[in-house]
Amino acid sequence: MDRKSGWWCILPEIELQMPEHWKNPRVAANFSISVFAVLVALCLIWVLYLVGRRDYLTSVFAVGLLLCFLFLLVLALQVRLGRVVPQATSEADGTYFRPPRAKTRFLELSIVSAIVSGISFVCYVPSGRLAIGIGGARQIYYPIIVAGLVCWLSYLLLRGRSNGWGYLKLSPEGFEVSNSVTTTASGAWDDVVDVIDQAPKGKTVSCPAVMVMTDGEAQTINSLPTYQVNGAALYWAIRHYWLHPENRGELANGRAIERLRAQDFEVE
């Protein structure tokens, strides 16, 4: 444990049973790998074709797309092979779970590549200098749309770099989930009437813990494998601290991380 940096690695010693309604996260990872591998191959062929024609301006655009998909492919491979280990830290107000730095680093590189590609698109499509088959009115409004996307990605990158790419916080009082921009779910343990593993009808989410609140609303903690390998142990941890108020003090003294590492939870 590296107490100096404040980060503790969570290395699962056993695997708890996956919640009944979850889909295996490895299936999604395999699908992502297949899609990104195809996109990387297509972009690579395109780049080689453009370089062969000495169309270096369009090559910049194509290389940006190639690197964007390549970094996403590397990220998906790392997740599938278990090479990225989510981390957590115990602080005075609770236990924080954050995405692994290896994952966010490749995400940042992918966004930077997309921004470079987008800037070349905005600068050179209106004049027709990019050989991508866009003409007429599309040479005007497509760059406007892409410019907006570049601004959004730049804002997202700055927020992620300065404030982090999100976290899940479990405290003696309740829970909170945040991405790089806003809080997506929060509530007090006393207001939770059930913790389930299935999202409400009409919502497609991955590997969730859904907190059913006293007012009938559902607060969804999505993609738990982002915060803990496999994610199953973290789901059972959330249920454990909801069911056992006497143990919630562990969320502020580091004991929760030790329990999670040992995966010392009941599977119901």
Side-chain angles (χ1 to χ4, degrees), residues 16-29 79 103 168 177 195-200 203-211 219-236 238:
L16 293 180
Q17 175 183 321
M18 187 175 296
E20 178 182 358
H21 296 101
W22 278 18
K23 294 181 179 179
N24 193 326
R26 293 176 180 173
V27 175
V79 172
K103 180 177 180 178
L168 163 63
V177 186
V195 178
I196 59 176
D197 62 354
Q198 191 171 27
K203 291 187 177 182
T204 303
V205 297
S206 172
C207 301
V210 180
M211 324 293 275
Q219 297 284 352
T220 302
I221 303 174
N222 191 22
S223 299
L224 288 182
T226 299
Y227 305 106
Q228 188 263 334
V229 176
N230 187 342
L234 188 52
Y235 173 83
W236 298 117
I238 292 170

Side-chain angles (χ1 to χ4, degrees), residues 1 9-14 256-263:
M1 296 184 296
C9 290
I10 299 176
L11 301 172
E13 298 173 355
I14 57 175
I257 295 177
E258 297 174 7
R259 186 189 287 271
L260 182 60
R261 179 170 183 173
Q263 303 200 6

Side-chain angles (χ1 to χ4, degrees), residues 130-183:
L130 287 190
I132 56 177
I134 293 179
R138 292 179 299 175
Q139 285 182 271
I140 303 300
Y141 63 80
Y142 275 19
I144 294 175
I145 295 172
V146 173
L149 180 61
V150 167
C151 290
W152 168 246
L153 289 175
S154 300
Y155 170 73
L156 192 65
L157 182 63
L158 291 173
R159 290 280 299 186
R161 291 286 295 174
S162 60
N163 299 331
W165 288 95
Y167 62 82
L168 163 63
K169 172 188 172 185
L170 301 178
S171 72
E173 293 74 33
F175 62 94
E176 180 178 285
V177 186
S178 176
N179 57 31
S180 59
V181 177
T182 186
T183 298

Side-chain angles (χ1 to χ4, degrees), residues 6-10 86-90 95-98 227 257 260:
W7 290 95
W8 294 3
C9 290
I10 299 176
Q87 297 173 309
T89 182
S90 179
T95 299
Y96 286 79
F97 302 89
R98 294 180 174 88
Y227 305 106
I257 295 177
L260 182 60

